[in-house]
DNA sequence: TTAAACTTTGCAATTGAGTTGCAGTATATT
DNA sequence: AATATACTGCAACTCAATTGCAAAGTTTAA
């Protein structure tokens, strides 16, 4: 029985190197989405640029999705099972302005948004901001 | 008859200094939301930090709202009339991945988003990404 | 009217996340 | 084994945002 991280990398066609396994495990172990810095601090012996490149590869191969929550740091979260990062897979995120955690709101799909003539949607970054249950 | 920029500043309780008037006029004259750099390049004789501080003041006094479109530069747009930057005043934005213009989609209000227990919404940053009419 | 108090501005310097070049190491292919 | 390819660590760099500070402008109160 292969570990979860290795399994995911195999399915998504990403070569399971040491750094990549560590980074993906770190993301899987944490409920909230993590910034490059979070991961760097969590994996104290892995270089920032290697983590960075792992995350870029993960994003490209749809292992993770990134969230621009306006905190100044991009957050990363493992894509939920079945996610292909298509518009219909998109979900809202919640950024707590107090503890600065960013959560995936997987229960609410994003509605169809009526765009002006000839505008074509590719993806979206939807962030609700406020106080999370722990901070309100 | 007072000019539009001065009028807005007066209504919103912002001291109408030279720099502030220039910055607000610049924003009013441009359809698409503008970054600090855009404004700096547009107003060639005004210092970046002064523009920056004007924008911060404007945001605080709800003269403008900012949009985090993931381009690495925060964009600013004049709040539409009647806007108070409350959750019900929020609207989606559209970021063109080709020309990197960011548009306010004022026609679609943001729907009520069901949050988990005890999560409290304060504001939101909603960005649809894709190709605009000029680029698609 | 003048002096003190407060506000705004310009300049220079700093911050910090993100990104890249490059050479060394590891892994795969012949 | 020899070669080619992929991955990693380190140091350096980029660039938007932000800040400290002193000069300039404005308001307020003797
Ligand atoms: Mn998510
Ligand atoms: Mn807008
Ligand atoms: Zn919180
Ligand atoms: Zn465009």
């Amino acid at each position: 029985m292969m570990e979860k991280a290795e399994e995911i990398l195999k399915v998504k066609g990403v070569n399971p190197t040491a750094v990549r396994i560590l980074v993906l495990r770190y993301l899987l172990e944490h409920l909230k989405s993590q910034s490059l810095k979070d991961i760097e601090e969590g994996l104290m012996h892995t270089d920032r640029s290697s983590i960075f490149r792992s995350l870029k590869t993960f994003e490209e191969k749809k292992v993770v999705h990134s969230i621009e929550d306006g905190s100044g740091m991009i957050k990363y979260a493992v894509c939920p099972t079945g996610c292909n990062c298509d518009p219909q897979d998109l979900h809202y995120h919640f950024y707590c302005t107090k503890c600065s955690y960013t959560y995936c709101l997987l229960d609410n799909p994003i509605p169809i948004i009526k765009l002006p003539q000839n505008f074509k949607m590719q993806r979206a970054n939807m962030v609700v901001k406020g106080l999370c249950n722990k901070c309100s």
Side-chain angles (χ1 to χ4, degrees), chain A residues 2-14 24 28 62-63 78-79:
Chain A
M2 208 182 269
E3 276 210 55
K4 184 105 186 278
E6 280 93 327
E7 187 71 38
I8 293 173
L9 293 177
K10 190 175 184 193
V11 170
K12 302 285 173 100
V14 178
L24 184 51
L28 286 166
K62 298 175 179 178
V63 173
V78 181
C79 286

Side-chain angles (χ1 to χ4, degrees), chain A residues 36-37 40 43 46-55:
Chain A
L36 175 57
K37 195 175 180 211
E40 191 187 0
L43 306 177
T46 311
D47 182 71
R48 181 172 68 252
S49 62
S50 301
I51 300 171
F52 171 77
R53 286 188 268 232
S54 291
L55 290 170

Side-chain angles (χ1 to χ4, degrees), chain A residues 22 62 103 113 121 125:
Chain A
L22 284 176
K62 298 175 179 178
Y103 302 82
I113 297 156
M121 174 170 177
N125 187 65

Side-chain angles (χ1 to χ4, degrees), chain A residues 59-101:
Chain A
E59 229 183 331
E60 202 176 307
K61 296 301 184 67
K62 298 175 179 178
V63 173
V64 305
H65 62 271
S66 63
I67 310 144
E68 294 143 7
D69 61 14
S71 66
M73 283 143 96
I74 298 167
K75 305 284 176 69
Y76 298 88
V78 181
C79 286
T81 12
C83 171
N84 206 32
C85 293
D86 294 323
Q88 72 267 21
D89 294 322
L90 295 171
H91 51 263
Y92 290 105
H93 292 96
F94 187 91
Y95 175 73
C96 178
T97 53
K98 194 165 176 194
C99 67
S100 79
Y101 275 154

